[in-house]
Amino acid sequence: MFIHPNLAGHTNELLSQTPLGVPLGVPLGTSLLHAVTTGTAGLATGLVIRCLVLAIAAVGQITRRAFRITPVEGMPGVPVAMLRAMQFITAVVALFVPLAAGIYLLTTVTWTLGQRLVRRRVYG
């Protein structure tokens, strides 16, 4: 929904909305890659997307430390270093997708971490 400028023959108003409706905020349809290539990247855009990417990376780091991945638990034949780095791929993806999708990714990785922590506590 945050990629297409038109939905069902109407202008996609979601692209111009800002998180929490903050005036002069960064529109949800803004991606860092698009803003940089079109020359529309401002201080606010860089700051918001940088904070988002850092938050995703922080959750990835917490997940990596809380759940040490070993070759037995991971995918057989895949190096452990690659399995550990996969926690941070989401942060890299957030640089290329619209801000709304980046917020969704942050929500998803945070929710998943919470689920894993609860599951570990309940099931040991």
Side-chain angles (χ1 to χ4, degrees):
M1 292 186 69
F2 289 94
I3 296 173
H4 303 291
N6 295 311
L7 294 174
H10 302 285
T11 302
N12 187 354
E13 297 294 327
L14 294 173
L15 296 175
S16 61
Q17 299 298 315
T18 59
L20 304 175
V22 177
L24 302 174
V26 179
L28 292 171
T30 302
S31 73
L32 184 62
L33 179 65
H34 182 264
V36 168
T37 57
T38 60
T40 59
L43 180 63
T45 303
L47 184 64
V48 168
I49 294 178
R50 183 176 295 139
C51 288
L52 178 72
V53 169
L54 289 174
I56 292 171
V59 172
Q61 178 69 1
I62 293 167
T63 302
R64 188 180 70 78
R65 287 182 178 217
F67 302 95
R68 299 274 182 213
I69 297 172
T70 64
V72 175
E73 296 171 17
M75 296 175 279
V78 178
V80 177
M82 180 181 277
L83 291 173
R84 290 181 180 152
M86 290 173 81
Q87 298 294 333
F88 302 103
I89 291 174
T90 306
V92 173
V93 170
L95 294 170
F96 300 99
V97 297
L99 178 60
I103 293 169
Y104 173 80
L105 292 173
L106 174 60
T107 304
T108 301
V109 296
T110 304
W111 182 265
T112 301
L113 173 61
Q115 282 182 319
R116 290 179 76 181
L117 290 171
V118 168
R119 204 172 103 204
R120 175 195 272 177
R121 185 170 300 265
V122 171
Y123 296 109

